Amino acid sequence: MRKLLMPIQGDFIAPRFDLATEILIVNFENGTVQGDPKTIIMERPSDEELCQMVVKENVTDVVCGGIEELHYNFLVWKKVAVCDSVIGGWKKVLEKVLDNTLSQGDIILFGDEQLLTL
């Protein structure tokens, strides 16, 4: 079983990891969501609290927009797979995670279902 954390802002991946206050956590296995996704609302943005949450929740994967190198390196050091520079609606991004087709730098457009890679 894997556990995905995505900082979100409404229907989208949050532009910055360290400024997010809404967090989505999804358990998944073999391309299928297990149980109900969990949304956590943080009182205020905190990069340290978010990194602690990743460790405390035993998160295996993080998908985010921009992330500072310090936080990226910390998460990788903790053996978390980080896919950053992702732009798009979190539901479509989750679909790409589940079918194992999401890549770093992906921009997922709406409507015509195009996927761009920078």
Side-chain angles (χ1 to χ4, degrees):
M1 175 99 54
R2 294 168 62 187
K3 189 178 272 193
L4 169 68
L5 181 144
M6 292 190 291
I8 61 174
Q9 186 174 354
D11 293 332
F12 300 92
I13 298 294
R16 295 254 318 259
F17 176 83
D18 60 335
L19 296 180
T21 56
E22 190 175 358
I23 310 302
L24 182 69
I25 297 178
V26 179
N27 292 307
F28 68 102
E29 188 170 33
N30 299 324
T32 305
V33 172
Q34 304 293 316
D36 291 328
K38 176 169 64 169
T39 303
I40 299 170
I41 305 297
M42 298 174 63
E43 188 175 309
R44 59 182 169 71
S46 171
D47 51 356
E48 289 181 19
E49 285 181 31
L50 195 47
C51 285
Q52 288 175 359
M53 183 186 303
V54 168
V55 173
K56 179 182 168 194
E57 293 280 341
N58 296 312
V59 169
T60 59
D61 300 81
V62 169
V63 172
C64 60
I67 184 170
E68 290 189 23
E69 185 176 1
L70 176 70
H71 304 121
Y72 178 89
N73 290 337
F74 172 79
L75 295 174
V76 170
W77 176 66
K78 287 294 189 177
K79 308 279 191 258
V80 176
V82 179
C83 186
D84 65 330
S85 301
V86 174
I87 299 171
W90 69 258
K91 291 177 184 174
K92 292 291 182 190
V93 169
L94 178 58
E95 288 176 16
K96 296 291 182 187
V97 169
L98 294 175
D99 66 17
N100 204 29
T101 59
L102 186 69
S103 299
Q104 183 172 350
D106 280 352
I107 301 171
I108 300 171
L109 302 176
F110 296 94
D112 57 350
E113 304 302 319
Q114 290 180 341
L115 178 69
L116 303 175
T117 302
L118 297 176

